[in-house]
Each structure stands twice: as structure tokens, then as C-alpha cells.
Amino acid sequence: MNKHKLKALILMVGAIFIAFLLGNTTSYAARMDMVDVSNNNGYMSTAEYVSMRNEFGVKALTVKISEGTTFKDGYAASNIANGQAAGLYVNGYHFAHYKTKAQAIAEAYFAGRTARLAGLPIGAVLATDVEAEEQNYQSKATNDRNNAAFMQEIQKFGYRADIYTSGSWANNKMTIKGRTGWIAAYPYVASGKNWYSTNHAWQWSSTAKFRISYGGFDVSQLNSNYYTADQKSTIKPTNKDAVNANNRKANKSTYHPATSAKWVKESKTYTLKTAVKLRTGASTSSNVITILPAGTTVKTDQAIIKGGYRWVRQPRSYGYGYLVTGPTSNTLKYVKSGATHTYYTVKSGDSWWTIARRNGMSMTRLAGQNGKTIYTTIYPGQRLVVW
């Protein structure tokens, strides 16, 4: 080989090598290894989990089990069973409200018993989700002590323990050591990012979409085998091309608020039908302040249609919280400048029971806020205050 050809070959190989390095540096795609679900996602079928596995590369499922010392997620048992039937590794998490060591132990005992009854397999991870308002006002030392007490108690049930929290809280509000922890932090664009690679898992999106499932989901990349260890899974993804394409698409998804969206005055009081995440901003990628359980009363002062959702703003002692009340297609009628109530016009065949059920309230409350009782006769054409 002459010198000119050798030089050209060296230059070509060098260019290919540099291109390879650059391509791998900039085209990294965060993986959808694990999805977590709660009562917000409702009933999830085995077919949905199979689709997640085959088309998106999901390996593990983390199911909400409980919250505090009273709330048991009603969908936990079906999510665990259907996830296992789809061949996914199944774990659980408990949403914590504890402020003391004694409360942490009590919550762990409640979570462990609830997980056993729901069918969470022994050896699975049962993480403590620490991001509530209660922990926000505790010292780092107090949170560390309480988290340790919770995890020690959880291990007595045969489960492996871990801590889930936001990136802004990790090692600020509590200690998250390397090779531990499940950390949530959402980049504007995930492509090219590889955050929290020394922790067990990085939750990089709260708005992931799956082909046959409704709504957005929290998805995480697993950086160790902690959330898949000690459990059996013999079923693997069947469509690798779809997995790669769907992961790249999810990484490129960005949130662009509508330029025409405007906040409107809306002084209302809501009673939540289901648990809802209260966020720091009107975006599903905003940090979660806390999760408000079903039955919580929320007073709001403004509303907006944004990003395909209807958001309301809750005044708080230290600022504002924002929560989704539903997709825009279902709630546009509530957004009226200066509106303080939402009305329903009685139709033929309506009753206190049918109207109350449709609007997620009791008959007594519906009648009472209209100055009547459930024994008062209502007539077609009559307007009732429903919110």
C-alpha cells in the first residue's frame, strides 16, 4: 500500500471514529425501563403491560401501594397481578407523610401489610416516596432518621427498601447515597441526558405515552438491577425496532405552552374525586409538591387551559400550587372569566341521585348548596349549582 493510500485510509478511519464518538455522545436516549402507576392511572390490563414491554422496552413496574396510615390504592392488586402476567418485574411504593420516627414505623407497618394483602411478591422493592409537604419542613437529619426507620421496618416484611424523591431534594432535604435511590428530575428534552447514573433509577419523564394506554405515565431508566433482582421474568420484548423508535420519540418530546393560553379568574372550592399531584407550575413536568388524596378540599383562584389539560391554581401560605382537573375536552365549560359557579340545567328523567353521581358529589351536598333538600322536587329547565 503506497503512502497516499495509507494516509487516506487513516484519515477515513479517524473520521469514522470521531463521528461514532460524537453520535454516541449526542444521540443517547433515556430508556423506558420502568413505569410506575397509581390510582390516577386507573385499571391497567395485562394487554397494556404487554404492549409496554414489547413496544417500549419496559422491564419493571412499580405500583402505588399505600399512603400515610389509611389510604390503600384500590388498583394495586390488579396492577400487580396484571403486571406479573405480562412478565414484568413488579415493585411497589408508599407515599410518605411521616414527620417523626414513630410515624415512619407506623406507616411502614401499614405499607408492608397492605403490600402483602395486594400480592406484592416477597423480595420486591417497596420504596418510600418522600416528597410531601410534611418532609419539606423537617431538617435533613430528621428526614434521614425517619427514612431509615421506615426502611428497616419494611425489610421485616421481606421487601427490599429504597427512597424515591426529587432531584432538588436529594442530598438537600435528605441523604441519598450513591448506589441507592430512585430520583425524579425532568429535563426539557431528555435526549442526550444521562442523569443520576450512580443511583438505582432516574425518573426522567412524567408524561410518557403508550400506544394502547390512556394518559401520561412516569417512566424511569434503571441504572442497576436493584428493581429487577430476586424476581423471575422469562418474557422479553418482541419488537426491538419499535422499542428503539418509541424511546427516541419519547426523548424528543418537549412541552410547548400555547401562546394564546390565558389565566382566568375562578374562585371555586373543589372536593377531589381521586388523588391528584399538586405541582409547582402548570405543567406535567413541574416538580410535585405533594399528592392530595381523594376527598381533599381545594380552594382555587384562577384556571387555564394549557398543554391539553385544564389547570387550576391553589393559593398557599408560601406561594401557589397547581393541579390538573381533567383534559380540556371535558372541562372547557368550567373556564369562564369571572365565573364563580358551574350550573347544570335539569333534563327530563333527572333526579338528585343521577345529577350528584354525574358530578361526583353526594345528593345531600348537591341539594344543600342549592338551598333545598333531597326530598324537594326538581323540574326540567331548572338550573342547579353543581360547583
Side-chain angles (χ1 to χ4, degrees):
M1 184 180 292
N2 62 42
K3 292 182 178 179
H4 293 295
K5 288 184 177 180
L6 180 59
K7 184 177 180 181
L9 179 61
I10 292 172
L11 290 173
M12 181 178 71
V13 172
I16 293 172
F17 181 69
I18 291 172
F20 174 81
L21 287 178
L22 290 174
N24 278 273
T25 299
T26 58
S27 62
Y28 176 86
R31 301 186 307 273
M32 304 168 83
D33 294 329
M34 182 167 72
V35 61
D36 60 278
V37 299
S38 71
N39 56 316
N40 290 329
N41 299 111
Y43 174 81
M44 298 287 294
S45 67
T46 299
E48 289 179 276
Y49 289 130
V50 169
S51 174
M52 290 178 179
R53 181 199 74 210
N54 288 346
E55 301 171 43
F56 297 84
V58 173
K59 302 174 184 177
L61 170 68
T62 303
V63 176
K64 182 173 182 180
I65 299 295
S66 52
E67 181 173 334
T69 55
T70 57
F71 179 81
K72 300 177 181 180
D73 195 306
Y75 295 107
S78 61
N79 279 325
I80 290 169
N82 293 342
Q84 288 178 310
L88 299 179
Y89 299 97
V90 180
N91 305 288
Y93 74 92
H94 167 83
F95 192 88
H97 287 287
Y98 48 73
K99 295 186 289 185
T100 67
K101 181 179 178 180
Q103 289 172 348
I105 292 172
E107 288 194 28
Y109 182 73
F110 176 73
R113 290 190 63 191
T114 304
R116 284 272 187 92
L117 292 172
L120 187 69
I122 299 301
V125 176
L126 181 48
T128 178
D129 182 344
V130 187
E131 54 178 322
E133 190 171 348
E134 288 89 345
Q135 291 91 35
N136 190 34
Y137 293 106
Q138 305 301 316
S139 68
K140 183 178 178 182
T142 298
N143 283 331
D144 285 347
R145 180 199 64 193
N146 296 344
N147 291 341
F150 180 96
M151 292 191 290
Q152 185 176 3
E153 188 70 21
I154 281 298
Q155 291 168 352
K156 295 178 182 178
F157 287 88
Y159 298 121
R160 292 176 296 126
D162 201 14
I163 302 172
Y164 169 93
T165 194
S166 67
S168 62
W169 281 32
N171 297 314
N172 291 312
K173 295 288 185 181
M174 68 202 71
T175 302
I176 305 293
K177 297 179 180 178
R179 299 183 180 180
T180 71
W182 173 19
I183 311 300
Y186 311 129
Y188 191 73
V189 178
S191 184
K193 310 292 192 307
N194 189 18
W195 295 357
Y196 300 100
S197 58
T198 61
N199 298 105
H200 287 319
W202 166 38
Q203 187 181 98
W204 55 272
S205 177
S206 62
T207 59
K209 306 292 184 183
F210 295 101
R211 185 175 65 83
I212 63 172
S213 299
Y214 174 77
F217 291 82
D218 297 336
V219 294
S220 302
Q221 173 174 289
L222 298 180
N223 298 317
S224 75
N225 69 346
Y226 193 69
Y227 281 82
T228 57
D230 301 331
Q231 300 173 71
K232 295 180 180 180
S233 176
T234 58
I235 306 174
K236 304 298 180 183
T238 59
N239 193 337
K240 292 183 179 180
D241 290 337
V243 169
N244 292 332
N246 287 325
N247 272 265
R248 286 195 298 268
K249 182 179 179 181
N251 274 252
K252 293 178 181 178
S253 295
T254 57
Y255 174 73
H256 298 288
T259 56
S260 59
K262 293 182 179 180
W263 288 95
V264 296
K265 182 180 179 181
E266 183 189 70
S267 299
K268 290 186 179 180
T269 300
Y270 293 87
T271 300
L272 301 182
K273 298 178 185 178
T274 63
V276 176
K277 292 180 179 179
L278 185 70
R279 298 183 182 273
T280 56
S283 167
T284 52
S285 62
S286 296
N287 289 334
V288 176
I289 298 172
T290 187
I291 295 182
L292 303 173
T296 301
T297 298
V298 179
K299 293 183 178 181
T300 67
D301 66 347
Q302 290 191 14
I304 194 174
I305 298 297
K306 195 174 184 183
Y309 297 92
R310 177 178 183 276
W311 293 87
V312 291
R313 189 177 77 171
Q314 178 199 35
R316 298 171 70 80
S317 59
Y318 51 89
Y320 295 98
Y322 302 83
L323 56 108
V324 174
T325 62
T328 57
S329 58
N330 293 342
T331 50
L332 274 170
K333 61 184 179 182
Y334 295 128
V335 182
K336 298 177 182 177
S337 180
T340 56
H341 293 294
T342 298
Y343 294 90
Y344 174 79
T345 301
V346 179
K347 298 179 178 61
S348 178
D350 279 339
S351 66
W352 287 116
W353 183 82
T354 59
I355 299 170
R357 184 184 180 192
R358 189 180 299 124
N359 288 278
M361 63 179 71
S362 68
M363 290 190 294
T364 303
R365 178 185 164 190
L366 175 62
Q369 67 189 24
N370 284 276
K372 305 180 186 304
T373 72
I374 60 174
Y375 303 106
T376 305
T377 302
I378 53 177
Y379 302 95
Q382 189 175 352
R383 286 213 315 166
L384 299 176
V385 174
V386 292
W387 285 107

